[in-house]
Amino acid sequence: MTFKDLGLSPPLVKAVEEKGYTKPSPIQEKAIPHILAGKDILASAQTGTGKTAGFTLPVLQHLVATRHPKYRPLRVLVLTPTRELAAQVQDNVREYSKYVDIKSAVVFGGVNAKPQIATLRSGVDILVATPGRLLDLHDRKALSFKRIEVLILDEADRMLDMGFVRDINKIISYMPAERQNLMFSATFSNDIKKLASGILRNPVSVETAPQNSTAKKVTHKVYKVDKSKKTEFTIKLIKDGNWNQVLIFTRTKHGANKLTEKLVKAGISAAAIHGNKSQGARTKALKNFKDNSIKILVATDIAARGLDIPLLPHVVNFELPNVPEDYVHRIGRTGRAGAAGEAISLVCSEESEYQSEIEKLLNEKLASTIVAGFEPTDTDPPKRAASQSKGSFGKKNKGGGSQGNKPKSKPHFKGNKPSEPSGRGRSNPPKKKRY
Ligand code: AMP
């Protein structure tokens, strides 16, 4: 199967070939024909599957075929949860539309709105946006949704997590009822299904991987290590493994800053990316990470969501996420585009329960290892009495340590804020979804 076989026109095929894509990815193969046929789509696809080209190419083809020669109303809207994802999606749209007369733009918060307004006034066919800034611009009459023909919701699950459901519904209320809707989501909770049923009309379901499954070539590794030893252990992993490009996840912004500082002190180039960083600092950190001028990017879940970092060999969970689906999102950044990847989690006794939740979601036990010199000691006192034996964390937890020792109360992270505040100044996103 080639891009041409999918029915895409020569200028679009030329643009993707120049990007070095030799054949369509599975999501592209499955989704493009339906989108070209004007169908609504509900697609389960993580970042890294090529979903952006999957929706952009057929939409471009539609726009070119039906473009009015004299004026350029806004006809396609792509909504994304984060600024970084919005910028990335528009970069892709721009590249894929290189040989066609279609204009795209991106708008998101945290930066001056004036240039965005000027761009919109000059005429844009495809707009990529985060919901908050989009509504601000709409309120300021910088754009109209009246001519929207295609609405794309990218990373819809994260948009719900970030509390954007009301904004999304408001935006949709300004649009013509007659339009094509494409929804992409990595996970399919009941909330997502509910949102989908309110927006999509007779959607075609497109699945590229079983629900909540992780990329096939990812190896999961769990290191049992005390919380107090995690930084030292991370430095050891990076140095011993000679790692040059690692994405490390922390649960909190404070944790991301602290770890970054310590890595830099240990002579490892690193930057943090989270919601308290300015847009400029986030963009710079991501750029430096992508072009290898820094080795380590320390990120919170929200900041890292949807980042396009190709061929990442290692993702480290410095702390396990307390929402198991976030584990799937996090490790979606390794083992991409057919390359093998390693998802490494540092798990202290307090996090055993999180690990069990993740294992339940993945339907897979994550193999645990103990490294000499980093044997866990911070288990519950009575259980610590059991004999310790290195590297033997069997199912029955014969080896002692923290494996299988469920905390008596819910895990907690002393001194850290609960989780990163979400977009548009909404504080503390719900652990349990709000909708
Ligand atoms: P996405 O899932 O849209 O974020 O895409 C992930 C990465 O895969 C991006 O770096 C794309 O440039 C790349 N990509 C998209 N489609 C293909 C393809 N057919 N072949 C190879 N790489 C692709």
Side-chain angles (χ1 to χ4, degrees):
M1 177 71 73
T2 64
F3 284 103
K4 194 169 157 234
D5 296 337
L6 287 176
L8 294 171
S9 62
L12 297 176
V13 174
K14 188 174 168 196
V16 288
E17 282 176 355
E18 273 183 21
K19 289 273 290 170
Y21 309 169
T22 50
K23 62 183 177 69
S25 69
I27 182 93
Q28 291 161 2
E29 218 174 290
K30 286 186 189 165
I32 289 175
H34 293 300
I35 301 174
L36 283 175
K39 295 252 168 45
D40 279 12
I41 293 274
L42 180 58
S44 97
Q46 302 171 22
T47 295
T49 53
K51 66 184 162 69
T52 316
F55 63 73
T56 305
L57 293 168
V59 161
L60 282 170
Q61 178 135 323
H62 162 75
L63 288 180
V64 172
T66 55
R67 192 170 119 57
H68 194 285
K70 292 231 171 70
Y71 77 117
R72 207 183 275 281
L74 180 60
R75 296 168 68 196
V76 176
L77 179 66
V78 186
L79 285 178
T80 74
T82 65
R83 299 160 182 182
E84 283 81 8
L85 182 60
Q88 257 166 228
V89 168
Q90 201 249 339
D91 280 349
N92 285 350
V93 172
R94 208 177 331 107
E95 284 169 341
Y96 302 142
S97 56
K98 203 168 158 189
Y99 298 111
V100 292
D101 181 20
I102 294 299
K103 287 196 180 160
S104 61
V106 62
V107 296
F108 47 72
V111 292
N112 189 352
K114 273 193 188 154
Q116 298 178 348
I117 294 173
T119 307
L120 290 169
R121 296 232 159 102
S122 72
V124 165
D125 302 279
I126 304 183
L127 183 64
V128 187
T130 51
R133 174 58 60 93
L134 185 69
L135 277 174
D136 289 347
L137 291 169
H138 184 262
D139 291 349
R140 292 160 76 163
K141 311 246 177 301
L143 58 92
S144 162
F145 298 121
K146 293 213 171 93
R147 299 271 172 175
I148 292 289
E149 292 166 34
V150 187
L151 169 68
I152 299 154
L153 299 175
D154 198 6
E155 313 237 343
D157 46 352
R158 182 55 86 179
M159 284 202 272
L160 287 192
D161 287 346
M162 291 175 73
F164 284 136
V165 76
R166 243 183 256 144
D167 288 353
I168 294 171
N169 286 329
K170 197 164 175 197
I171 291 163
I172 289 174
S173 73
Y174 298 125
M175 292 182 180
E178 194 62 37
R179 51 167 209 275
Q180 188 177 17
N181 303 287
L182 315 174
M183 191 190 272
F184 292 79
S185 187
T187 54
F188 278 93
S189 61
N190 287 338
D191 297 323
I192 281 290
K193 287 180 193 150
K194 201 168 129 198
L195 181 74
S197 69
I199 297 176
L200 308 174
R201 282 176 311 173
N202 303 323
V204 177
S205 284
V206 178
E207 285 200 27
T208 47
Q211 189 175 324
N212 290 336
S213 77
T214 54
K216 280 200 185 76
K217 289 192 178 180
V218 176
T219 322
H220 307 263
K221 260 190 194 168
V222 166
Y223 288 106
K224 295 284 179 183
V225 58
D226 282 349
K227 192 164 144 185
S228 58
K229 291 272 185 69
K230 282 189 176 185
T231 303
E232 196 189 328
F233 188 70
T234 306
I235 293 169
K236 178 183 162 57
L237 283 177
I238 296 168
K239 290 194 169 167
D240 288 1
N242 222 353
W243 291 350
N244 285 316
Q245 208 184 24
V246 191
L247 179 60
I248 303 183
F249 285 94
T250 60
R251 287 182 61 246
T252 67
K253 294 182 281 194
H254 174 66
N257 286 339
K258 224 165 70 179
L259 178 62
T260 306
E261 268 168 38
K262 288 188 178 155
L263 292 176
V264 171
K265 254 190 209 151
I268 299 167
S269 54
I273 185 165
H274 56 65
N276 275 6
K277 295 268 177 190
S278 70
Q279 189 54 42
R282 284 154 71 164
T283 308
K284 188 170 161 222
L286 183 61
K287 184 185 161 290
N288 289 344
F289 184 62
K290 279 186 175 184
D291 68 20
N292 283 107
S293 35
I294 56 165
K295 286 185 180 182
I296 315 292
L297 190 65
V298 184
T300 54
D301 289 294
I302 288 170
R305 183 75 166 130
L307 294 185
D308 178 20
I309 304 160
L311 300 177
L312 207 54
H314 301 103
V315 166
V316 174
N317 298 305
F318 187 79
E319 287 142 346
L320 283 182
N322 52 359
V323 178
E325 282 83 1
D326 279 345
Y327 182 87
V328 179
H329 294 313
R330 287 178 176 191
I331 70 159
R333 273 137 208 96
T334 188
R336 305 173 67 179
E342 230 179 15
I344 291 155
S345 303
L346 313 190
V347 180
C348 67
S349 62
E350 290 173 356
E351 295 168 288
S352 302
E353 194 172 307
Y354 295 157
Q355 185 178 338
S356 312
E357 292 293 315
I358 291 164
E359 289 172 341
K360 253 188 249 159
L361 180 75
L362 299 177
N363 200 16
E364 182 182 339
K365 279 263 167 209
L366 305 181
S368 299
T369 311
I370 292 178
V371 170
F374 291 90
E375 294 86 351
T377 57
D378 59 359
T379 51
D380 294 341
K383 288 176 182 164
R384 206 191 303 162
S387 67
Q388 303 250 350
S389 75
K390 229 176 275 172
S392 59
F393 276 76
K395 276 185 185 147
K396 291 190 174 146
N397 191 27
K398 284 181 187 145
S402 62
Q403 166 86 345
N405 291 346
K406 288 219 170 186
K408 286 182 179 126
S409 56
K410 279 261 174 205
H412 60 283
F413 289 82
K414 269 184 240 144
N416 284 343
K417 287 179 202 142
S419 192
E420 180 176 29
S422 56
R424 294 192 79 202
R426 290 170 170 83
S427 59
N428 297 342
K431 295 294 139 284
K432 297 257 180 268
K433 288 172 191 137
R434 282 189 261 171
Y435 306 98

